Amino acid sequence: MHSFLSRANTLFAFTITVLAVLTTGVFISTFFEEYRGTVSIGAVRPIVKHMTDFSANRKKNDLGVLQLTLDMDLNPLFDWNVKQLFLYLVAEYVTPANTLNQVVLWDKIVRRGEEARLTFHEIATKYYFWDDGEHLRSNNVTLSLNWNIISNAGRLMHVRANGSTSFVFPDQYITSRTASPKPTGQQ
Amino acid sequence: MIDIEWPFATHMDFRGQKMAERLFQVIIVFFGLIGFIVGYMMQQFSMTIYSVLFGVLVSAFLTIPPWPIYRNNPVEWQKPVDAKKDSNGNKNNSSNKSTPKDTRKAKPKKDQ
């Protein structure tokens, strides 16, 4: 502690230790938090098409097309350890080929401080709803919204929100070129 | 190691160093605790960090420059001893001192 530099060095090292202890304190204070919430999801006008999937194996697969209506309030989820949320909407269904299929239809990143009460009215899905095969007709599909908590100091948790809905696809393909909105692929 | 020769004195004596270290530890821990409580109540971790950084600024102002209060107990150095001249000089001085005195005292008595 004889000169400026050794005093400054000691001060800096002690500060870093104190910050590490405080960050551990933040982690412990939110360790048992479950981050649950309720949302409302609506599937509007689901149809099934039978088309060639050019991004996969060139076979003809089933393509589901639907619009989404979402309403959610995420403000209670942002405690002092949450930096941002990664939301994703998953469609789950059963086919004879696979016991469980999960397709992500829409996602969004919500940062701390941004608008957390989100409402979407009949938006197109962000990603294509391709089936691995041709079993979407008359299939009962469950849509559920999940979020991935990105913390300042803590675990990365995936939480499923309450309020999932189910719908059934029609039992006929749409063959003619009907005016149905295509997935946008970007926000 | 980086050892810069500053144009002014930057030392503190040992008691001052101990005082300075204890002072900044206390200040930073205090601001850390305050920041933790405030951050928890406001649910904003940035408040905790700002509080600690403010504590660091206060501590840096109080402990890094060598204020006079850290120089109140200077180290007591012993007086410098001139090694070569003195060890010979002691022996010679003691013998030289005694004999001249004796001769001087002796002489006046004889003359009288």
Coordinates of all heavy atoms in Angstrom, one line a residue, chain A residues 36-88:
Chain A
R36 N -44.4 -18.2 -13.5 CA -45.5 -18.7 -14.2 C -46.4 -17.5 -14.6 O -46.3 -16.5 -14.1 CB -46.4 -19.6 -13.3 CG -45.6 -20.8 -12.8 CD -46.4 -22.1 -13.0 NE -45.6 -23.2 -12.5 CZ -44.9 -24.0 -13.4 NH1 -44.9 -23.7 -14.7 NH2 -44.2 -25.0 -12.9
G37 N -47.2 -17.8 -15.6 CA -48.1 -16.7 -16.1 C -49.2 -17.3 -16.9 O -49.2 -18.5 -17.3
T38 N -50.2 -16.5 -17.3 CA -51.3 -17.0 -18.1 C -51.4 -16.1 -19.4 O -51.2 -14.9 -19.3 CB -52.6 -16.8 -17.3 OG1 -52.4 -17.5 -16.1 CG2 -53.7 -17.5 -18.1
V39 N -51.6 -16.8 -20.5 CA -51.8 -16.1 -21.7 C -53.1 -16.6 -22.4 O -53.6 -17.6 -22.0 CB -50.6 -16.3 -22.7 CG1 -49.3 -15.9 -22.0 CG2 -50.5 -17.7 -23.1
S40 N -53.5 -15.8 -23.4 CA -54.6 -16.4 -24.2 C -54.2 -16.5 -25.7 O -53.6 -15.6 -26.2 CB -55.8 -15.5 -24.1 OG -55.8 -14.4 -25.0
I41 N -54.4 -17.7 -26.2 CA -54.0 -18.0 -27.6 C -55.2 -18.4 -28.4 O -56.1 -19.1 -27.9 CB -53.0 -19.2 -27.6 CG1 -51.9 -19.0 -26.5 CG2 -52.4 -19.4 -28.9 CD1 -51.1 -20.2 -26.4
G42 N -55.3 -17.9 -29.6 CA -56.4 -18.3 -30.5 C -55.8 -18.8 -31.8 O -55.0 -18.1 -32.4
A43 N -56.3 -19.9 -32.3 CA -55.9 -20.3 -33.7 C -57.1 -20.0 -34.6 O -58.2 -20.4 -34.4 CB -55.7 -21.8 -33.7
V44 N -56.8 -19.3 -35.7 CA -57.8 -18.8 -36.6 C -57.7 -19.4 -37.9 O -56.6 -19.4 -38.5 CB -57.7 -17.2 -36.7 CG1 -58.8 -16.7 -37.6 CG2 -57.8 -16.6 -35.3
R45 N -58.8 -20.0 -38.5 CA -58.8 -20.5 -39.8 C -57.7 -21.5 -40.1 O -56.9 -21.2 -41.0 CB -58.9 -19.4 -40.9 CG -60.2 -18.6 -40.9 CD -60.2 -17.7 -42.1 NE -59.1 -16.7 -42.0 CZ -59.2 -15.5 -41.4 NH1 -60.3 -15.2 -40.8 NH2 -58.2 -14.7 -41.4
P46 N -57.6 -22.6 -39.4 CA -56.5 -23.5 -39.8 C -56.9 -24.3 -41.1 O -58.0 -24.7 -41.2 CB -56.5 -24.5 -38.6 CG -57.8 -24.4 -38.0 CD -58.4 -23.0 -38.3
I47 N -56.0 -24.5 -42.0 CA -56.2 -25.3 -43.2 C -54.9 -26.1 -43.5 O -53.9 -25.9 -42.9 CB -56.4 -24.4 -44.5 CG1 -55.2 -23.4 -44.7 CG2 -57.7 -23.6 -44.4 CD1 -55.3 -22.6 -45.9
V48 N -55.1 -27.1 -44.3 CA -53.9 -28.0 -44.6 C -53.7 -28.0 -46.1 O -54.7 -28.1 -46.9 CB -54.2 -29.5 -44.1 CG1 -53.0 -30.3 -44.3 CG2 -54.7 -29.5 -42.7
K49 N -52.5 -27.9 -46.5 CA -52.1 -28.0 -47.9 C -51.1 -29.2 -48.1 O -50.5 -29.6 -47.1 CB -51.4 -26.8 -48.4 CG -52.2 -25.5 -48.3 CD -51.4 -24.4 -48.9 CE -52.2 -23.2 -49.1 NZ -51.5 -22.1 -49.8
H50 N -51.1 -29.7 -49.3 CA -50.2 -30.8 -49.5 C -49.2 -30.4 -50.6 O -49.6 -30.3 -51.8 CB -51.0 -32.0 -50.0 CG -50.3 -33.3 -50.0 ND1 -49.7 -33.9 -48.9 CD2 -50.0 -34.2 -51.0 CE1 -49.1 -35.0 -49.2 NE2 -49.2 -35.2 -50.5
M51 N -48.0 -30.1 -50.2 CA -47.1 -29.5 -51.2 C -45.7 -30.1 -51.0 O -45.4 -30.8 -50.0 CB -46.9 -28.0 -50.9 CG -48.2 -27.3 -50.8 SD -48.1 -25.6 -50.3 CE -46.8 -25.0 -51.2
T52 N -44.8 -29.8 -52.0 CA -43.5 -30.3 -51.9 C -42.7 -29.4 -51.0 O -42.6 -28.2 -51.1 CB -42.8 -30.2 -53.3 OG1 -43.7 -30.7 -54.3 CG2 -41.5 -31.0 -53.3
D53 N -42.0 -30.0 -50.0 CA -41.2 -29.2 -49.1 C -39.8 -29.1 -49.7 O -39.0 -30.0 -49.6 CB -41.1 -29.9 -47.7 CG -40.4 -29.2 -46.7 OD1 -39.9 -28.0 -47.0 OD2 -40.2 -29.7 -45.6
F54 N -39.4 -28.0 -50.3 CA -38.2 -27.9 -51.0 C -37.0 -27.8 -50.1 O -35.9 -27.9 -50.5 CB -38.2 -26.7 -52.0 CG -39.1 -26.9 -53.1 CD1 -40.3 -26.3 -53.2 CD2 -38.7 -27.7 -54.2 CE1 -41.2 -26.4 -54.2 CE2 -39.5 -27.9 -55.3 CZ -40.8 -27.3 -55.3
S55 N -37.2 -27.5 -48.8 CA -36.1 -27.4 -47.9 C -35.8 -28.7 -47.2 O -34.8 -28.9 -46.6 CB -36.4 -26.4 -46.8 OG -37.5 -26.8 -46.1
A56 N -36.6 -29.7 -47.5 CA -36.4 -31.0 -46.9 C -36.1 -32.0 -48.0 O -35.4 -31.8 -48.9 CB -37.6 -31.4 -46.0
N57 N -36.8 -33.2 -48.0 CA -36.4 -34.3 -48.9 C -37.2 -34.3 -50.1 O -37.3 -35.4 -50.7 CB -36.6 -35.6 -48.1 CG -38.0 -35.7 -47.5 OD1 -38.8 -34.9 -47.8 ND2 -38.1 -36.7 -46.6
R58 N -37.8 -33.2 -50.6 CA -38.5 -33.1 -51.9 C -39.7 -34.0 -52.0 O -40.3 -34.2 -53.0 CB -37.5 -33.5 -53.1 CG -36.3 -32.7 -53.1 CD -36.6 -31.2 -53.5 NE -35.5 -30.4 -53.4 CZ -34.9 -29.9 -54.5 NH1 -35.4 -30.2 -55.7 NH2 -33.9 -29.1 -54.4
K59 N -40.1 -34.7 -50.9 CA -41.4 -35.4 -50.9 C -42.5 -34.4 -50.8 O -42.3 -33.3 -50.4 CB -41.4 -36.4 -49.8 CG -40.8 -37.7 -50.1 CD -40.8 -38.7 -48.9 CE -41.8 -38.3 -47.9 NZ -41.7 -39.0 -46.6
K60 N -43.7 -34.9 -50.9 CA -44.9 -34.0 -50.7 C -45.3 -34.2 -49.2 O -45.6 -35.3 -48.8 CB -46.0 -34.4 -51.6 CG -45.8 -33.7 -53.0 CD -47.2 -33.5 -53.6 CE -47.0 -32.6 -54.8 NZ -48.3 -32.1 -55.4
N61 N -45.2 -33.2 -48.5 CA -45.6 -33.2 -47.0 C -46.8 -32.3 -46.8 O -47.2 -31.5 -47.6 CB -44.5 -32.8 -46.1 CG -43.4 -33.8 -46.0 OD1 -43.7 -35.0 -46.2 ND2 -42.2 -33.4 -45.7
D62 N -47.4 -32.5 -45.6 CA -48.5 -31.6 -45.3 C -48.0 -30.3 -44.7 O -47.1 -30.2 -43.9 CB -49.4 -32.3 -44.2 CG -50.4 -33.3 -44.8 OD1 -50.4 -33.5 -46.0 OD2 -51.1 -33.9 -44.0
L63 N -48.7 -29.2 -45.1 CA -48.3 -27.9 -44.6 C -49.6 -27.3 -44.0 O -50.6 -27.2 -44.6 CB -47.9 -27.0 -45.8 CG -47.6 -25.5 -45.4 CD1 -46.4 -25.5 -44.6 CD2 -47.4 -24.7 -46.7
G64 N -49.4 -27.0 -42.7 CA -50.6 -26.3 -42.0 C -50.4 -24.8 -42.1 O -49.4 -24.3 -41.9
V65 N -51.6 -24.2 -42.3 CA -51.5 -22.7 -42.4 C -52.6 -22.2 -41.4 O -53.8 -22.6 -41.5 CB -51.8 -22.2 -43.8 CG1 -51.8 -20.7 -43.8 CG2 -50.7 -22.8 -44.7
L66 N -52.3 -21.3 -40.6 CA -53.3 -20.7 -39.6 C -52.8 -19.3 -39.2 O -51.7 -18.9 -39.5 CB -53.4 -21.6 -38.4 CG -52.3 -21.7 -37.4 CD1 -52.9 -22.0 -36.1 CD2 -51.3 -22.8 -37.8
Q67 N -53.7 -18.6 -38.6 CA -53.4 -17.3 -38.1 C -53.5 -17.3 -36.6 O -54.3 -18.1 -36.0 CB -54.3 -16.2 -38.6 CG -54.0 -15.8 -40.1 CD -54.6 -16.8 -41.0 OE1 -55.8 -17.1 -40.9 NE2 -53.8 -17.3 -41.9
L68 N -52.7 -16.5 -35.9 CA -52.7 -16.5 -34.5 C -53.2 -15.2 -33.9 O -52.9 -14.2 -34.4 CB -51.2 -16.7 -34.0 CG -50.4 -17.8 -34.6 CD1 -49.0 -17.7 -34.3 CD2 -50.9 -19.1 -34.0
T69 N -53.9 -15.4 -32.8 CA -54.4 -14.2 -32.0 C -53.8 -14.5 -30.6 O -54.1 -15.4 -29.9 CB -55.9 -14.2 -31.9 OG1 -56.4 -14.0 -33.2 CG2 -56.3 -13.0 -31.0
L70 N -52.9 -13.5 -30.1 CA -52.2 -13.7 -28.8 C -52.5 -12.5 -27.9 O -52.6 -11.4 -28.4 CB -50.7 -13.8 -29.0 CG -50.3 -14.9 -30.0 CD1 -48.8 -14.7 -30.3 CD2 -50.5 -16.3 -29.3
D71 N -52.6 -12.8 -26.6 CA -52.8 -11.7 -25.7 C -52.1 -12.1 -24.4 O -52.4 -13.1 -23.8 CB -54.3 -11.5 -25.4 CG -54.5 -10.2 -24.6 OD1 -53.6 -9.4 -24.4 OD2 -55.6 -10.1 -24.1
M72 N -51.1 -11.3 -24.0 CA -50.3 -11.7 -22.8 C -49.8 -10.4 -22.0 O -49.6 -9.4 -22.7 CB -49.2 -12.6 -23.1 CG -48.2 -11.9 -24.0 SD -47.1 -13.0 -24.8 CE -48.0 -13.6 -26.2
D73 N -49.7 -10.6 -20.7 CA -49.0 -9.5 -19.9 C -47.8 -10.1 -19.2 O -48.0 -11.0 -18.4 CB -50.0 -9.0 -18.9 CG -49.4 -7.8 -18.1 OD1 -48.3 -7.3 -18.5 OD2 -50.0 -7.4 -17.1
L74 N -46.6 -9.7 -19.6 CA -45.4 -10.3 -19.1 C -44.7 -9.5 -18.0 O -43.7 -9.9 -17.5 CB -44.4 -10.5 -20.2 CG -45.0 -11.3 -21.4 CD1 -44.1 -11.3 -22.5 CD2 -45.2 -12.8 -20.9
N75 N -45.3 -8.4 -17.5 CA -44.7 -7.5 -16.6 C -44.3 -8.2 -15.2 O -43.3 -8.0 -14.7 CB -45.5 -6.3 -16.3 CG -45.2 -5.2 -17.3 OD1 -44.0 -5.0 -17.6 ND2 -46.2 -4.5 -17.8
P76 N -45.2 -9.1 -14.7 CA -44.9 -9.8 -13.5 C -43.7 -10.7 -13.5 O -43.1 -11.0 -12.5 CB -46.1 -10.6 -13.1 CG -47.2 -10.0 -13.9 CD -46.6 -9.4 -15.1
L77 N -43.2 -11.0 -14.8 CA -42.1 -11.9 -14.9 C -40.8 -11.2 -14.7 O -39.8 -11.9 -14.4 CB -42.1 -12.6 -16.2 CG -43.2 -13.5 -16.6 CD1 -43.1 -14.0 -18.0 CD2 -43.2 -14.7 -15.6
F78 N -40.7 -9.9 -14.9 CA -39.4 -9.2 -14.9 C -39.0 -8.8 -13.4 O -39.3 -7.7 -13.0 CB -39.5 -7.9 -15.7 CG -39.4 -8.2 -17.2 CD1 -40.5 -8.3 -18.0 CD2 -38.1 -8.5 -17.8 CE1 -40.4 -8.6 -19.4 CE2 -38.0 -8.7 -19.1 CZ -39.1 -8.8 -19.9
D79 N -38.4 -9.8 -12.7 CA -37.9 -9.4 -11.4 C -36.4 -8.9 -11.7 O -36.0 -8.8 -12.8 CB -38.0 -10.5 -10.4 CG -37.1 -11.7 -10.8 OD1 -36.4 -11.7 -11.8 OD2 -37.2 -12.7 -10.1
W80 N -35.7 -8.6 -10.6 CA -34.4 -7.9 -10.8 C -33.3 -8.9 -11.4 O -32.2 -8.4 -11.7 CB -33.9 -7.3 -9.5 CG -33.5 -8.2 -8.4 CD1 -34.0 -9.4 -8.1 CD2 -32.6 -7.9 -7.3 NE1 -33.4 -9.9 -7.0 CE2 -32.6 -9.0 -6.5 CE3 -31.8 -6.7 -7.0 CZ2 -31.8 -9.0 -5.3 CZ3 -31.1 -6.8 -5.9 CH2 -31.0 -7.9 -5.1
N81 N -33.7 -10.1 -11.5 CA -32.7 -11.0 -12.1 C -33.0 -11.4 -13.5 O -32.3 -12.2 -14.1 CB -32.6 -12.3 -11.2 CG -31.3 -13.0 -11.4 OD1 -30.4 -12.5 -11.9 ND2 -31.2 -14.3 -10.9
V82 N -34.0 -10.8 -14.1 CA -34.4 -11.2 -15.5 C -33.9 -10.2 -16.4 O -34.3 -9.0 -16.3 CB -35.9 -11.4 -15.6 CG1 -36.3 -11.7 -17.0 CG2 -36.4 -12.6 -14.7
K83 N -33.1 -10.6 -17.4 CA -32.6 -9.6 -18.4 C -33.5 -9.5 -19.6 O -33.8 -8.5 -20.1 CB -31.2 -10.1 -18.7 CG -30.4 -9.1 -19.5 CD -29.0 -9.6 -19.7 CE -28.5 -9.1 -21.0 NZ -28.2 -10.1 -22.0
Q84 N -33.9 -10.7 -20.1 CA -34.8 -10.7 -21.2 C -35.6 -12.0 -21.3 O -35.1 -13.0 -20.6 CB -34.1 -10.4 -22.6 CG -33.1 -11.5 -22.9 CD -32.3 -11.1 -24.2 OE1 -32.2 -9.9 -24.5 NE2 -31.8 -12.0 -24.9
L85 N -36.7 -12.0 -22.0 CA -37.4 -13.3 -22.1 C -37.4 -13.7 -23.6 O -37.5 -12.8 -24.5 CB -38.9 -13.0 -21.8 CG -39.2 -12.6 -20.4 CD1 -40.7 -12.4 -20.3 CD2 -38.8 -13.7 -19.4
F86 N -37.3 -15.0 -23.9 CA -37.4 -15.5 -25.2 C -38.7 -16.3 -25.3 O -38.8 -17.3 -24.7 CB -36.2 -16.3 -25.5 CG -36.3 -16.9 -26.9 CD1 -36.1 -16.1 -28.0 CD2 -36.5 -18.2 -27.1 CE1 -36.1 -16.6 -29.3 CE2 -36.6 -18.8 -28.4 CZ -36.4 -18.0 -29.5
L87 N -39.8 -15.7 -26.0 CA -41.1 -16.4 -26.1 C -41.1 -17.2 -27.3 O -40.6 -16.8 -28.4 CB -42.2 -15.3 -26.2 CG -42.2 -14.2 -25.3 CD1 -43.2 -13.1 -25.7 CD2 -42.5 -14.6 -23.9
Y88 N -41.7 -18.4 -27.2 CA -41.9 -19.2 -28.4 C -43.2 -20.0 -28.3 O -43.6 -20.5 -27.2 CB -40.8 -20.1 -28.7 CG -40.3 -21.0 -27.6 CD1 -40.6 -22.4 -27.6 CD2 -39.5 -20.5 -26.5 CE1 -40.2 -23.2 -26.6 CE2 -39.1 -21.4 -25.5 CZ -39.4 -22.7 -25.5 OH -39.0 -23.5 -24.5

